[in-house]
Amino acid sequence: MEHLTDEEWEDAGFTRAQFENRWRARLERDRFSPKTGSPAPDFILEVLTSEGKRSGELFQLSSLFGRPIGLVFGSYTWPPFREKAVRLIEISKELEDQAEFCCVYIKEAHPLDGWVLPDNTLEGIEVDSPNTKEERAAIAATCMLRYNFPFRMVLDSMTDEAEEKYRSEPDRLYVIDAEGKIAWKSGLGPFYFDVEGWYEALKKEV
């Protein structure tokens, strides 16, 4: 993005200085993300049905320990997450007999009351930041029905419990080994949302 013109920055809805300040803040926050080789932070979150509706069923990440886990974080208003959705599905189907997969639906990256992206406007993806679990689940449902994710998706809490533990805003990928430790993690999205690196790391664990 360092090569963007002033006009392109204006179209993005951010100035260069604003973006750089935001990126520095994210890098500082990332210092507290789980380290490779450390125990994977546990969480208990509500499972969404295949139609994206709230199930009332709780899922605990540590219940999957004993098998490698491909852990995904993202939201519908984040274009890179949508762009990589098909590849995430392909990988999960290829390795579904050897690994577990879980996607945590986190807070919206680009709601109407935040940084609005032209790509979202063009696609008609225009939602406000959810204030309740029901509102967050409704947006997640749209995402799930569009891509027909075959793996479990859980809804992050309104206090962003899982996002805080994994420092995953706006999207991120982790691999957890069979012992429940962080085997691999991507860098910060969007630049380092490395799906192919995630795939290779998962193959090493299965």
Side-chain angles (χ1 to χ4, degrees), residues 40-43 59-73 91-92 95-96 98-104 151-152 166 173-185 198-199 201-206:
D42 203 5
F43 55 72
F59 162 78
Q60 186 164 5
L61 179 66
S62 58
S63 68
L64 300 182
F65 291 176
R67 277 163 58 94
I69 304 168
L71 189 58
V72 183
F73 294 85
I91 292 169
S92 71
L95 301 177
E96 63 183 353
Q98 301 165 282
E100 300 286 346
F101 291 87
C102 179
C103 179
V104 182
F151 45 81
R152 69 175 55 78
Y166 284 85
L173 297 161
Y174 282 85
V175 173
I176 299 172
D177 68 20
E179 295 181 354
K181 295 181 179 179
I182 302 294
W184 181 92
K185 67 177 182 179
W198 181 70
Y199 174 51
L202 272 167
K203 287 198 297 182
K204 289 179 181 178
E205 296 298 324
V206 300

Side-chain angles (χ1 to χ4, degrees), residues 12-156:
F14 244 59
T15 67
R16 186 188 302 273
Q18 286 173 324
F19 179 83
E20 289 174 349
N21 287 337
R22 183 185 179 95
W23 186 252
R24 279 193 292 269
R26 291 183 63 211
L27 289 174
E28 176 62 24
R29 186 171 184 263
D30 185 51
R31 292 174 53 222
F32 302 98
S33 64
K35 304 294 188 294
T36 302
S38 66
D42 203 5
F43 55 72
I44 301 175
L45 297 175
E46 185 175 5
V47 177
L48 294 170
T49 69
S50 58
E51 294 80 27
K53 298 187 181 299
R54 295 184 61 186
S55 69
E57 175 189 349
L58 295 180
F59 162 78
Q60 186 164 5
L61 179 66
S62 58
S63 68
L64 300 182
F65 291 176
R67 277 163 58 94
I69 304 168
L71 189 58
V72 183
F73 294 85
S75 70
Y76 192 44
T77 54
W78 186 231
F81 179 68
R82 299 198 303 271
E83 291 165 6
K84 300 294 179 65
V86 172
R87 182 60 178 141
L88 291 171
I89 291 168
E90 290 174 348
I91 292 169
S92 71
K93 288 182 175 179
E94 177 183 338
L95 301 177
E96 63 183 353
D97 293 333
Q98 301 165 282
E100 300 286 346
F101 291 87
C102 179
C103 179
V104 182
Y105 194 91
I106 59 175
K107 57 186 174 182
E108 297 302 323
H110 292 285
L112 289 175
D113 51 331
W115 177 12
V116 178
L117 291 184
D119 285 354
N120 287 348
T121 303
L122 288 172
E123 289 189 48
I125 300 173
E126 299 176 304
V127 297
D128 291 319
S129 294
N131 293 311
T132 66
K133 277 192 173 182
E134 286 74 17
E135 291 176 354
R136 179 171 281 179
I139 305 171
T142 302
C143 182
M144 291 180 72
L145 291 173
R146 175 175 178 177
Y147 296 105
N148 193 27
F149 289 108
F151 45 81
R152 69 175 55 78
M153 184 175 282
V154 297
L155 194 68
D156 202 3

